[in-house]
Amino acid sequence: MNAINRYELYVLDEGEKSVEVTEDTKIPNAATIKIVKQDHTLANLLRSQLLGYPSVLFAGYKAPHPLQPHFLLKIQTDGSITPAAILEKACTDLIGMVATLESKFKREFTMNNVEGGVQEDAYGVPTSGAQWESGGSYVDLG
Amino acid sequence: MQSSDAEPIVRIRDLKKNSVNFVLENVDLSFANSFRRVMIADIPTVAIDMVEIETNTTVLPDEFIAHRLGMIPLVSTMCDEAMRYTRDCTCEVRCQYCAIELQLNVACHEANTTMHITSNMLEVVPTNKPGSYGSYDTDDGGEELAKRVENFGHPIGKDDPDVPPILICKIRMGQELRVRCIAKKGIAKEHAKWSPCSAVAFEYDPHNKLRHTSYWYEYDARAEWPLSENAKEEDPPRDDVPFDYNAKPTKFYMEVETDGSLGAQEVVHKGLQELQTKLANLILGLKPEPPENDAFQSGAGAGGGALGGQPNGAHDSSQLGGWGMPPPMASGGSAWSPPRAAGGAAGGAWGSSPARTGGGGGGGWGSPAAAPWGAPAGGSAASGSSGGWGSPAAQGWGSPAQQTNGWNVG
């Protein structure tokens, strides 16, 4: 078939650069950053993180075409920092936030495990032995 | 998330093997949504990807059965380390590192009974002996097999009488189904069968105070619409308070339910790690391309810096402090690198092991398991910026892996 491999949506091609920064020629302190093989998951996260910084005047993204696996992130700053630098700062801040969240999740999970959370029946089905072996008594979702 | 915000809070309300219900506070809506998206679509699992039908005399057509087989969740614990993507593997077609073979061989010989072909009848073909089609890659030295749990790749709930098996087809006397399945690792962006989540519930602002939605109503929306359970967690709206159009949602109610291929806890952790990986790859991509260095030069340069400073880049602890050391490094980095390094020393082949093109100085970095951060976006992110690891700005990333790999020793 002539369909493209679906993994090309998220795997970089041979020698392909994941990020491309284009300085804006008409707007001061602005840049359009093309991020390849990523989607709204990353784009919207970065956009809203960038908008939280006082030195960012504008931050927005668009995914130009749903079949093209890249998005464009446009950033304008007040000049105290370059768009690429503030984007990097956004990433480091977010990674830090995710790391704290991760450790909090870990703590919560261990606390719940001690209370025996995992030992519960995971399927909400009464554990009545080999009722499935007899055949015919499936959970019929159809 | 605004940097002025308080720290994120998480509270688990209910934890079962395959579902977790939690409340996430002090994060941005966009983060909560990215977290949700990443858990649904970016976590690798194993699923049947190719089906060879040897005999099918059932009432269902071949493709119908192939599709049903693909949807069966297979145990995928620690999938990112226990298995390779076929496209990243060094083998020619498939091997025990990147594929799992399952067989199904059922025939009904009893009259007047309907026989049920279920997921429990799928048998995993052991990977420790060469397969019939040269699927066994002997001289590879991958550590993946050692990382697998005992029932890795088995249909979920097999040999557990409490778990109902998944019905594939019903047959009568004289009918037979004999198929061979190849299960592969993948993510749900490629096909939804690889999603570990059967459902992710996501709610915020149960009273609709922020007016992010508008209710249809006959006379009074508040009287006609039921409130969700989560509404008990928040104060009901007061009529004497004017609408705050600057308010932002801060409290998110989520329930992650998995199909059994991964535990709920693993999905949450892998989701967060995947987010970090995405962000870290972006940072790597933003670094300017340094002049091309010889592998040993860049290794030595970074080694010097690493010896002088903290492994986690203490020169900027305000930014790097928290995230230099936690899980991604621990699991993605150190978990695989010691055995890698050891294997390389024994075989003397670390430079040639990778399937990915390291290109010049990239060699060692592009090993199949990829650099700690390089897993999904893969080869070129890690290799293209290989010199970047050695530059001073990148020390936070580069040095721990180098030290664990023992690069700067030689």
Side-chain angles (χ1 to χ4, degrees):
Chain A
M1 301 293 178
N2 45 16
I4 57 156
N5 287 323
R6 295 297 300 270
Y7 66 76
E8 285 174 25
L9 292 178
Y10 53 90
V11 178
L12 285 167
D13 293 336
E14 198 73 29
E16 190 177 28
K17 285 190 71 181
S18 58
V19 185
E20 201 178 299
V21 182
T22 316
E23 305 260 330
D24 205 305
T25 50
K26 294 184 179 169
I27 313 167
N29 307 313
T32 304
I33 297 157
K34 181 184 179 189
I35 298 170
V36 179
K37 303 290 156 91
Q38 293 291 344
D39 60 7
H40 301 269
T41 306
L42 189 63
N44 190 40
L45 182 64
L46 290 171
R47 186 214 50 135
S48 74
Q49 176 72 18
L50 286 164
L51 288 174
Y53 298 122
S55 51
V56 171
L57 300 183
F58 178 87
Y61 84 90
K62 65 176 174 183
H65 193 282
L67 289 180
Q68 291 166 351
H70 68 265
F71 68 84
L72 302 171
L73 186 65
K74 194 153 215 157
I75 307 171
Q76 188 189 10
T77 66
D78 60 4
S80 60
I81 186 168
T82 65
I86 195 95
L87 179 60
E88 197 176 323
K89 178 173 156 50
C91 290
T92 37
D93 287 355
L94 277 169
I95 291 178
M97 199 271 279
V98 176
T100 51
L101 190 63
E102 196 165 14
S103 60
K104 294 199 169 184
F105 258 113
K106 260 200 184 112
R107 203 177 313 145
E108 277 284 304
F109 273 125
T110 45
M111 275 168 60
N112 276 273
N113 275 353
V114 170
E115 290 156 27
V118 172
Q119 264 67 47
E120 287 176 40
D121 187 323
Y123 295 88
V125 182
T127 54
S128 56
Q131 57 164 314
W132 311 113
E133 300 303 311
S134 56
S137 48
Y138 300 100
V139 176
D140 209 331
L141 299 172
Chain B
M1 192 207 74
Q2 277 65 52
S3 36
S4 58
D5 265 0
E7 281 214 319
I9 302 172
V10 59
R11 174 162 53 85
I12 294 179
R13 298 196 288 193
D14 184 32
L15 175 62
K16 290 180 190 146
K17 187 159 159 273
N18 288 331
S19 77
V20 56
N21 186 313
F22 58 89
V23 185
L24 200 56
E25 279 177 79
N26 293 332
V27 299
D28 191 76
L29 172 59
S30 66
F31 174 79
N33 191 45
S34 290
F35 184 33
R36 180 191 66 85
R37 283 177 62 101
V38 106
M39 285 191 291
I40 292 173
D42 285 300
I43 298 176
T45 62
V46 185
I48 291 171
D49 197 33
M50 279 197 296
V51 178
E52 275 179 33
I53 308 235
E54 287 165 40
T55 313
N56 175 20
T57 49
T58 69
V59 292
L60 297 184
D62 293 0
E63 45 271 71
F64 201 131
I65 286 177
H67 178 250
R68 289 183 72 75
L69 287 166
M71 310 304 281
I72 294 169
L74 307 178
V75 174
S76 312
T77 315
M78 296 285 284
C79 189
D80 45 358
E81 286 165 39
M83 201 163 172
R84 298 176 194 163
Y85 293 108
T86 303
R87 59 173 179 274
D88 293 343
C89 197
T90 49
C91 62
E92 277 177 35
V93 183
R94 57 176 172 266
C95 68
Q96 76 271 30
Y97 297 112
C98 64
I100 291 171
E101 186 179 339
L102 298 101
Q103 280 182 337
L104 184 62
N105 190 350
V106 190
C108 181
H109 302 296
E110 271 180 69
N112 296 322
T113 46
T114 303
M115 190 179 173
H116 292 215
I117 303 180
T118 68
S119 60
N120 281 359
M121 297 168 178
L122 275 169
E123 299 289 344
V124 172
V125 179
T127 49
N128 54 7
K129 62 172 169 56
S132 53
Y133 49 96
S135 62
Y136 189 75
D137 191 352
T138 42
D139 203 23
D140 190 286
E143 292 295 320
E144 281 85 355
L145 297 183
K147 296 230 164 74
R148 288 185 189 170
V149 292
E150 201 189 331
N151 58 347
F152 189 83
H154 289 238
I156 56 145
K158 197 181 176 186
D159 309 319
D160 184 350
D162 298 335
V163 178
I166 298 159
L167 180 63
I168 297 165
C169 185
K170 294 183 183 181
I171 52 174
R172 298 284 282 189
M173 188 171 82
Q175 296 179 336
E176 185 185 13
L177 182 63
R178 201 162 69 218
V179 296
R180 196 171 73 180
C181 314
I182 308 296
K184 295 202 167 164
K185 176 175 160 183
I187 67 170
K189 265 185 197 159
E190 187 165 348
H191 190 289
K193 70 186 172 188
W194 276 298
S195 177
C197 295
S198 50
V200 181
F202 180 86
E203 183 180 24
Y204 63 93
D205 187 27
H207 292 288
N208 196 28
K209 285 185 217 170
L210 303 172
R211 302 192 194 169
H212 282 194
T213 190
S214 55
Y215 288 118
W216 177 92
Y217 57 91
E218 294 260 4
Y219 305 105
D220 176 17
R222 216 179 282 175
E224 290 162 31
W225 284 87
L227 280 174
S228 87
E229 276 294 297
N230 296 324
K232 292 173 190 157
E233 298 252 355
E234 293 185 13
D235 299 328
R238 290 161 45 146
D239 293 322
D240 54 336
V241 178
F243 174 57
D244 180 3
Y245 48 85
N246 282 321
K248 282 183 166 172
T250 56
K251 208 169 174 187
F252 302 90
Y253 308 92
M254 299 179 78
E255 173 153 0
V256 179
E257 184 187 304
T258 74
D259 61 10
S261 53
L262 296 176
Q265 193 172 340
E266 195 178 346
V267 168
V268 168
H269 279 136
K270 289 277 151 63
L272 291 172
Q273 281 178 21
E274 182 60 39
L275 272 182
Q276 285 184 318
T277 310
K278 280 182 188 295
L279 291 161
N281 278 332
L282 178 52
I283 295 178
L284 275 180
L286 280 170
K287 299 265 182 236
E289 199 86 12
E292 199 57 46
N293 265 342
D294 180 62
F296 289 101
Q297 280 174 358
S298 66
L307 289 175
Q310 298 277 343
N312 290 323
H315 54 277
D316 195 355
S317 54
S318 62
Q319 278 193 353
L320 301 176
W323 53 266
M325 75 321 182
M329 276 300 179
S331 62
S334 54
W336 59 265
S337 32
R340 267 276 146 194
W350 53 263
S352 59
S353 59
R356 297 152 181 255
T357 50
W365 297 107
S367 62
W373 298 109
S380 39
S383 63
S385 54
S386 59
W389 294 92
S391 71
Q395 275 175 19
W397 305 106
S399 46
Q402 281 181 342
Q403 283 186 329
T404 42
N405 269 326
W407 271 49
N408 39 17
V409 178

